[in-house]
Amino acid sequence: MKAVRFDEYGGIDVLQVADVPVPEPGQGQVLVEVKAASINPGEAKIRDGSLQAIWPATFPSGEGTDLAGIVTKVGPGVEGIAAGDEVIGFTDERASHAEYVVVPARNLTAKPANVSWEVGGSLGVAGSTAYAAVRAVSVRPGDTVAVTGAAGGVGSMAVQLARRAGAEVIGIAGPDNRDWLTTHSVTPVAYGAGLTDKLRETPIDAFIDTHGDGYVRMAVELGVAPERIDTIIDFPAVEEYGVKAEGSESAMNTAVMAELAALASSGDLDVPIAAVFPLDDVRAAFEQLERGHTRGKIVLRP
């Protein structure tokens, strides 16, 4: 099978698509033919070594967490899942950017028939992170919640989940995303000069930062209580201001994924797909991701 590999830390050029043996499922595992697997900013940071102190790579390293696909083989001890089932899920082994992946059965849930492969393969990391962030800041009906990177992979789902929780949502994003945010009942505010003054016009109860670059400090200066600020990226600010940093690791489980998939199936959660690349074009996919300003998710299709 084909699988993405890298043998050293570095830029996009260290990524390669290698021929490797198809893995065999062990106890409690299943083999999934991957139909779609999204890419995430954290994967780029793991690859370039930025997160080496937290999540070191073991070389040769695979890549990828999210997945949607078809079960092709079931290992011993697995119940409730059979060959031919369409599933969504995640792997903790950095292995979903591949044609096949072995996954613990407990990491999989059924893919609703009307949810596309691309959407199903995008819910794991970004969806769980958005879910965790909204939960972390205790969104309540009547709150006003600001979200940075409001049209990105995490932000685009966080604004919708906050709206579903009954909040008024301010989406901080570029002007190109104004119409998308408005369509989703989110008040768009462009980042850049004058942003702090614009945000002072409305008292903000909670703040979700998906972008970094000083937004946590801004939220504190706006008077948002630290326990109602969550960042998924600005870890130094967590230490400095005592804000939260709850992300996918605190919410990634099949119950959350099933809930998100059901919302996507019913039309209550829009998961924008910015671009789809074949597995062989993994470098081009990360080039687009690392340019930024992406609305929604970028997906690999093996």
Side-chain angles (χ1 to χ4, degrees):
M1 70 170 190
K2 293 181 177 180
V4 175
R5 292 286 187 270
F6 60 100
D7 296 325
E8 60 182 336
Y9 293 121
I12 292 168
D13 59 323
V14 303
L15 293 174
Q16 55 186 308
V17 179
D19 290 321
V20 300
V22 176
E24 283 291 323
Q27 183 74 26
Q29 297 178 325
V30 302
L31 180 68
V32 177
E33 179 186 2
V34 179
K35 293 296 186 180
S38 80
I39 67 175
N40 295 287
E43 289 151 0
K45 292 183 180 297
I46 289 172
R47 184 206 69 233
D48 69 19
S50 299
L51 298 178
Q52 184 176 359
I54 306 172
W55 296 303
T58 301
F59 302 117
S61 178
E63 185 179 71
T65 299
D66 302 324
L67 64 101
I70 301 172
V71 174
T72 61
K73 197 170 186 178
V74 175
V78 173
E79 298 181 357
I81 296 179
D85 286 354
E86 296 186 352
V87 294
I88 61 176
F90 62 95
T91 171
D92 296 316
E93 303 299 324
R94 300 177 190 165
S96 69
H97 294 171
E99 292 180 318
Y100 292 87
V101 61
V102 163
V103 186
R106 65 178 180 274
N107 290 3
L108 297 172
T109 190
K111 183 184 79 66
N114 65 335
V115 171
S116 70
W117 291 119
E118 290 84 359
V119 168
S122 297
L123 291 175
V125 173
S128 298
T129 301
Y131 187 101
V134 171
R135 181 179 62 189
V137 300
S138 304
V139 175
R140 298 182 288 265
D143 280 346
T144 296
V145 181
V147 180
T148 70
V154 175
S156 62
M157 288 189 257
V159 295
Q160 295 176 73
L161 294 176
R163 284 288 297 150
R164 285 189 56 78
E168 296 296 321
V169 180
I170 297 171
I172 301 167
D176 290 347
N177 293 303
R178 182 180 183 87
D179 289 346
W180 186 89
L181 291 167
T182 300
T183 299
H184 291 79
S185 301
V186 175
T187 301
V189 177
Y191 55 72
L195 174 60
T196 303
D197 291 336
K198 293 176 188 174
L199 295 179
R200 288 191 192 282
E201 295 173 4
T202 304
I204 295 173
D205 301 293
F207 201 103
I208 295 171
D209 171 37
T210 75
H211 185 74
D213 290 340
Y215 279 115
V216 169
R217 182 179 67 252
M218 177 186 294
V220 172
E221 291 173 350
L222 288 168
V224 183
E227 65 270 19
R228 302 203 69 191
I229 301 171
D230 187 77
T231 181
I232 69 169
I233 191 169
D234 192 351
F235 302 117
V238 176
E239 295 294 325
E240 184 174 356
Y241 298 106
V243 302
K244 295 181 177 179
E246 295 188 22
S248 60
E249 69 278 359
S250 67
M252 190 180 292
N253 58 62
T254 52
V256 168
M257 295 193 68
E259 183 178 343
L260 295 171
L263 290 173
S265 176
S266 65
D268 293 315
L269 179 65
D270 175 21
V271 182
I273 303 299
V276 180
F277 291 86
L279 189 69
D280 285 335
D281 288 344
V282 62
R283 291 184 181 181
F286 275 95
E287 284 173 359
Q288 180 166 334
L289 177 76
E290 294 178 35
R291 284 198 298 268
H293 308 290
T294 299
R295 181 185 302 162
K297 296 293 294 177
I298 297 172
V299 179
L300 296 174
R301 286 292 305 261

